[in-house]
Amino acid sequence: MQKAGHNMIKPTLLIGTIFIGMTLVSASVAAAETPASLMTGYAATAGISPQDLSAERGATLYRSEHSGRAGTSVSCASCHTANPKQPGRTRVGKRIDPLAPAANPQRFTDSAKVEKWFRRNCMDVLQRECSAREKGDFIAWLSQIK
Amino acid sequence: MNYLLRGIGVLTAVGTVTLLAFSLPSGVAHGDGGGNVMPRLAHKNWQQECASCHLAYSPALLPRATWQRLMGKIDNHFGDNASLDPVTQTDILRFLEANAADSGTSQIGRRVMRRMAAKEAPLRITETLWFVGKHDEVPRTAWSRKSVGSAANCAACHSKAEQGVFDDDSVRIPK
């Protein structure tokens, strides 16, 4: 009984140490992201080269309309407007800072924030999560806007 | 050099006064401004997360049971996915519960509860009798104006909503 208890501690400690380590690494990385580094990461996850990400596909993803709640159609542009250099509005009417890094350098610099909003907004617009390639395409398009 | 020293002196004085002014308790105990001022609360995740989409509505406007229901299905928040990582979600819920209308921490909360039936847990602030009573002079048509959007957009009319001030003097209903 005592032996079993002793064995339990080791994996817990190990997992704990790994978790703390990962938290530290992700915390230090989070502030240092750029649109290009995020694209590299998403391309790697998708198993393609960053050059194979497509701004054109990203633009299509941004503009394509999907059936949303109560028979209305919804797209990224519904809230972020047709021009991502312009501020958008949430459903409740609050301002959304522009999505394009050219108009808002804060965009795509924090991977946790980027992941949070892809998760939420892909579920809202597409009713599913976005793939790594779609995320990479999306940033590829937004970051080439001058 | 003299001017530089004097400049530093003035800056220090202004800084000290400002610090004092902001650290002094305002209004009633618990930072509750009473009247039409929301309790002054600071909570990083509440302000950061809730206010990315809408005003960080005061927890004092709804009972604990409501906040539990809302945060329990935050991945379908009035039709929107507002999902959070579990740590942040729990942190925000604890804050909302601690300052809820029925937590006994604010005047406004007590007033909201006074007009609420036992065990009632409305999902929207606009469904509380307190809110309805407060807005009985607002014409129905005003709510649906494009400039307002919906009754959830406090700041459309309450020009000091971001600061938690909801007195009549700061109200401007847009055309």
Side-chain angles (χ1 to χ4, degrees):
Chain A
M1 196 61 205
Q2 206 178 0
K3 197 159 186 250
H6 180 70
N7 280 342
M8 284 296 287
I9 293 171
K10 272 188 181 166
T12 315
L13 271 178
L14 184 67
I15 291 165
T17 312
I18 292 171
F19 182 76
I20 291 167
M22 280 167 67
T23 311
L24 285 174
V25 169
S26 64
S28 59
V29 165
E33 298 288 359
T34 63
S37 69
L38 287 166
M39 282 162 62
T40 308
Y42 285 130
T45 308
I48 56 173
S49 125
Q51 284 80 37
D52 293 333
L53 293 174
S54 155
E56 201 182 321
R57 281 196 309 258
T60 307
L61 175 64
Y62 184 87
R63 303 202 189 285
S64 56
E65 298 277 344
H66 304 266
S67 61
R69 71 176 72 77
T72 56
S73 79
V74 62
S75 70
C76 307
S78 316
C79 292
H80 293 288
T81 79
N83 176 2
K85 281 168 71 180
Q86 295 294 315
R89 279 188 105 184
T90 69
R91 256 192 333 123
V92 186
K94 188 160 173 144
R95 181 193 150 98
I96 305 172
D97 290 335
L99 255 191
N104 177 9
Q106 298 296 308
R107 286 293 180 199
F108 307 111
T109 58
D110 177 341
S111 58
K113 200 169 171 184
V114 169
E115 272 296 293
K116 178 177 78 178
W117 286 105
F118 269 132
R119 184 186 70 228
R120 291 173 168 182
N121 294 354
C122 291
M123 288 304 291
D124 280 340
V125 175
L126 304 170
Q127 315 286 321
R128 62 166 174 84
E129 297 226 15
C130 287
S131 69
R133 197 190 76 175
E134 285 172 320
K135 294 173 189 174
D137 290 343
F138 191 82
I139 303 174
W141 176 60
L142 286 168
S143 57
Q144 54 83 50
I145 292 170
K146 296 278 179 286
Chain B
M1 193 63 199
N2 232 345
Y3 280 107
L4 183 67
L5 281 176
R6 235 195 272 175
I8 292 168
V10 168
L11 279 178
T12 315
V14 170
T16 313
V17 169
T18 315
L19 270 178
L20 276 175
F22 282 102
S23 54
L24 285 175
S26 69
V28 198
H30 308 291
D32 183 357
N36 293 310
V37 178
M38 296 300 147
R40 236 161 85 176
L41 300 168
H43 186 271
K44 188 169 160 271
N45 282 330
W46 166 62
Q47 279 157 321
Q48 210 166 296
E49 297 298 336
C50 308
S52 26
C53 300
H54 54 68
L55 190 89
Y57 303 124
S58 178
L61 298 180
L62 290 165
R64 258 174 301 198
T66 294
W67 295 122
Q68 287 158 357
R69 279 175 72 189
L70 278 173
M71 294 303 289
K73 50 169 192 166
I74 197 67
D75 58 345
N76 182 3
H77 190 59
F78 302 104
D80 278 344
N81 185 310
S83 55
L84 292 158
D85 66 85
V87 175
T88 310
Q89 189 173 335
T90 307
D91 177 53
I92 294 176
L93 177 58
R94 293 289 164 269
F95 164 78
L96 296 170
E97 287 173 330
N99 296 283
D102 52 347
S103 66
T105 55
S106 68
Q107 286 290 335
I108 285 217
R110 272 185 279 275
R111 262 181 261 136
V112 170
M113 291 315 292
R114 214 173 291 151
R115 304 200 58 184
M116 195 166 309
K119 294 207 176 158
E120 199 190 342
L123 280 179
R124 296 167 192 269
I125 296 165
T126 51
E127 286 169 358
T128 63
L129 281 178
W130 171 83
F131 180 95
V132 174
K134 280 279 186 190
H135 295 84
D136 58 359
E137 290 165 47
V138 179
R140 220 161 237 292
T141 53
W143 299 110
S144 51
R145 277 175 206 158
K146 207 161 184 273
S147 49
V148 175
S150 84
N153 189 11
C154 311
C157 304
H158 294 276
S159 61
K160 293 183 185 166
E162 295 276 352
Q163 292 88 55
V165 178
F166 289 83
D167 61 337
D168 288 355
D169 290 346
S170 58
V171 173
R172 308 267 178 283
I173 299 176
K175 294 281 172 245

